[in-house]
Amino acid sequence: QVQLVESGGGLVQPGGSLRLSCAASGSIFSINPVQWYRQAPGKQRELVATITSGSGGRTIYADSVKGRFAISRDNAKNTVYLQMNSLKPEDTAVYYCRLVYTTGSSWGQGTQVTVSS
């Protein structure tokens, strides 16, 4: 079982930036897609960004974060990042990373992001 640990969340003012990290154990990390989801209170979990496996990795974003968020991966460190810029109050949520593999997926425990003045 792959273990995922998110970090980097916190309280930030509107317009600010945060970088989330998702660190994984296990050798399968580098050969599988990784996704960031978020869940705000009372709302369904929402897919925010995806990065595919391989060198470079193709990236896909939800319309709500396109142009503001950037997902990247460092396979040597078994880590995926989510750089979040121009944050808005509606970005407030618990952010989760998810590793997708052929027999299922693994989730992290989540990290809280709060955007408020």
Side-chain angles (χ1 to χ4, degrees):
Q1 183 77 11
V2 177
Q3 303 292 324
L4 302 175
V5 179
E6 301 98 334
S7 61
L11 173 64
V12 63
Q13 292 187 340
S17 298
L18 282 175
R19 189 177 80 155
L20 306 183
S21 299
C22 172
S25 62
S27 59
I28 68 170
F29 179 80
S30 64
I31 61 173
N32 290 286
V34 178
Q35 299 173 315
W36 281 99
Y37 283 76
R38 67 185 180 187
Q39 187 166 21
K43 294 189 176 181
Q44 288 189 330
R45 195 168 291 191
E46 171 192 20
L47 176 59
V48 173
T50 300
I51 187 164
T52 60
S53 59
S55 59
R58 187 168 69 96
T59 57
I60 306 165
Y61 298 96
D63 287 343
S64 57
V65 306
K66 203 171 292 184
R68 300 188 298 122
F69 290 12
I71 187 172
S72 61
R73 67 191 303 161
D74 185 339
N75 289 334
K77 296 182 178 180
N78 271 7
T79 301
V80 167
Y81 304 98
L82 185 67
Q83 178 67 44
M84 305 186 296
N85 300 324
S86 302
L87 283 162
K88 305 175 182 179
E90 51 263 43
D91 294 318
T92 295
V94 178
Y95 284 71
Y96 301 89
C97 64
R98 177 186 184 220
L99 174 66
V100 183
Y101 42 91
T102 54
T103 56
S105 64
S106 292
W107 292 86
Q109 83 289 348
T111 185
Q112 176 71 45
V113 171
T114 302
V115 184
S116 175
S117 55

